[in-house]
Amino acid sequence: MPRLLSRRLGTGLAVGAVSLALLAPAGASAHGTGRHHQLAAHLVTGGLNNPRGIDVGRDGRVYVAEAGTGKVLTIKGGTVRALISGLPTAVSPEGETTGPVNVAVSSLFGRTRVVAAIGAGPQTVDARFDSVVRIRSGNASVLADIQAYRNAHPDTTDLDQPPNPTDSNAYGLAALPFGRTLVTDAAGNELDLIGANGRIQTVAKFPNQVVSTSHLPPGEVPAGVTELPAEAVPTSVAVGPDGWWYVGELKGFPFTPGTSRIWRIAPWARNVVCDPAAKRGPCTIYADGLTSVTGMAFGPDRSLYVVEIVKDGVLNLFSGGDTTGALIRIRHGKRTELVPGRLHAPGDVAVARNGRIYVTNQSVSPTSGQVLVIR
């Protein structure tokens, strides 16, 4: 079983034998949204190769990390352009695509700062794999080497067999003011803070969780094994309207549905080990009972919008099962699925200042990736 399937997100999400289903009609609408009008998903652009992370600038410009081409795209007024190309990209023997997996934008004093996360890959081929890069004037420079940091600060809770405590994979990303950047290490199971000078600090470490194996097909685990420990696999980070930092989990093998959590972390936290039983303190659970979270963003209505890449569990991506994903709005503790049935293997979500919601859809397809707007 490939390393990706055995424990965690690894260098990306496998395409393998997955056959992505045809999309629902563009007019598919939300049910029970609590609004006076129905929401619908509309195609912004298609034909993309593994579009993963997405963000929106203050001017409404949409930024998309296209892992399969090594590009970061911008979309404005219906025009799609490459902000940068030539970033590293690779496909593993198991069919996993890696490359620019996320992008984040911040603005201060009228200046826009763009950073991108490059997922794990062969650094002997390109040293920018598993790093966060700063993009300026069509050029990218390494801001922080996440693999080097993990080598120096191994994950002592690693569950690989044999253990692989220096396994690392930069994935979730958020740009902060004054040149700082948040990045989740999906393989190292922690949230890191990168300073403007590139210095990395551990903010929070996310614990393993014992989960059920009852959803697995026969023969996937030995008979009588009803539970297994699973790694957190933090894939996403967002800054809340309260100024705290929120981190979403995919949850590693056995990819049990309903076991993904969202953590709420104090911005002053450093080197904290999160405790799921904590009711107060620098790291507590904000929401649980979710499945395969790969993207999050807060909207101007202070709601948290969460992407589940496969609502019935990410194992479906590898088994040829149903790849229907979900976009969930969490508002005042109430959860509402928006445009149900419309998304297939969505990757990430971003919300513009005008409330328009952008989602990368079919995010593990080499030919049929999309950006949708929900309004």
Side-chain angles (χ1 to χ4, degrees):
M1 181 177 291
R3 179 175 62 84
L4 165 60
L5 303 190
S6 63
R7 290 296 175 195
R8 58 166 68 86
L9 194 63
T11 60
L13 287 171
V15 177
V18 174
S19 176
L20 295 175
L22 294 175
L23 293 174
S29 59
H31 299 280
T33 62
R35 299 186 179 186
H36 296 296
H37 65 280
Q38 292 181 319
L39 294 177
H42 306 270
L43 180 67
V44 175
T45 189
L48 302 180
N49 183 344
N50 284 267
R52 301 285 173 79
I54 191 168
D55 204 359
V56 184
R58 290 179 64 85
D59 62 355
R61 191 180 309 272
V62 178
Y63 296 76
V64 182
E66 192 178 17
T69 62
K71 297 178 182 179
V72 172
L73 307 175
T74 64
I75 306 172
K76 180 71 171 178
T79 300
V80 181
R81 291 191 173 95
L83 177 68
I84 189 171
S85 57
L87 296 174
T89 181
V91 179
S92 75
E94 296 81 26
E96 304 171 25
T97 297
T98 188
V101 292
N102 224 314
V103 61
V105 185
S106 65
S107 297
L108 188 65
F109 306 128
R111 298 186 64 180
T112 299
R113 184 173 73 96
V114 183
V115 289
I118 312 298
Q123 286 192 326
T124 54
V125 175
D126 194 312
R128 294 173 296 176
F129 277 117
D130 200 17
S131 73
V132 173
V133 299
R134 181 191 293 117
I135 300 174
R136 292 176 176 169
S137 304
N139 296 304
S141 58
V142 173
L143 176 63
D145 186 335
I146 307 304
Q147 180 64 70
Y149 185 73
R150 189 60 50 236
N151 291 343
H153 303 82
D155 175 16
T156 59
T157 65
D158 180 76
L159 293 176
D160 280 345
Q161 295 299 324
N164 189 11
T166 59
D167 200 9
S168 178
N169 183 26
Y171 211 84
L173 204 61
L176 303 176
F178 306 109
R180 300 179 304 154
T181 306
L182 291 170
V183 59
T184 63
D185 186 339
N189 297 302
E190 70 177 48
L191 174 67
D192 296 327
L193 174 65
I194 305 170
N197 61 357
R199 177 173 177 258
I200 304 173
Q201 294 176 280
T202 297
V203 173
K205 301 179 182 180
F206 305 104
N208 300 333
Q209 180 182 5
V210 176
V211 299
S212 170
T213 61
S214 62
H215 65 293
L216 294 177
E220 191 70 22
V221 295
V225 176
T226 60
E227 292 182 324
L228 283 174
E231 295 185 25
V233 192
T235 54
S236 44
V237 58
V239 179
D242 57 359
W244 286 48
W245 301 337
Y246 293 73
V247 172
E249 301 177 341
L250 178 122
K251 193 68 72 181
F253 184 84
F255 310 118
T256 306
T259 59
S260 294
R261 303 177 285 204
I262 296 174
W263 299 87
R264 179 176 181 263
I265 302 163
W268 59 84
R270 297 295 182 271
N271 208 36
V272 169
V273 178
C274 293
D275 179 359
K279 301 301 181 184
R280 60 181 62 87
C283 184
T284 57
I285 291 179
Y286 173 75
D288 59 10
L290 296 159
T291 300
S292 304
V293 173
T294 55
M296 299 190 310
F298 282 91
D301 62 352
R302 302 175 69 89
S303 298
L304 178 60
Y305 295 82
V306 180
V307 161
E308 296 180 334
I309 187 169
V310 182
K311 64 187 298 183
D312 289 335
V314 76
L315 193 65
N316 283 15
L317 280 175
F318 316 126
S319 63
D322 184 4
T323 62
T324 301
L327 174 64
I328 298 170
R329 184 179 64 209
I330 303 177
R331 186 176 187 180
H332 305 308
K334 179 182 178 181
R335 303 181 189 185
T336 304
E337 183 179 356
L338 308 182
V339 293
R342 179 65 172 90
L343 305 177
H344 292 266
D348 196 11
V349 58
V351 187
R353 298 174 71 189
N354 62 7
R356 290 188 174 184
I357 305 164
Y358 293 89
V359 175
T360 52
N361 195 43
Q362 304 215 85
S363 65
V364 294
S365 169
T367 58
S368 303
Q370 300 175 325
V371 174
L372 304 178
V373 61
I374 298 170
R375 60 179 189 268

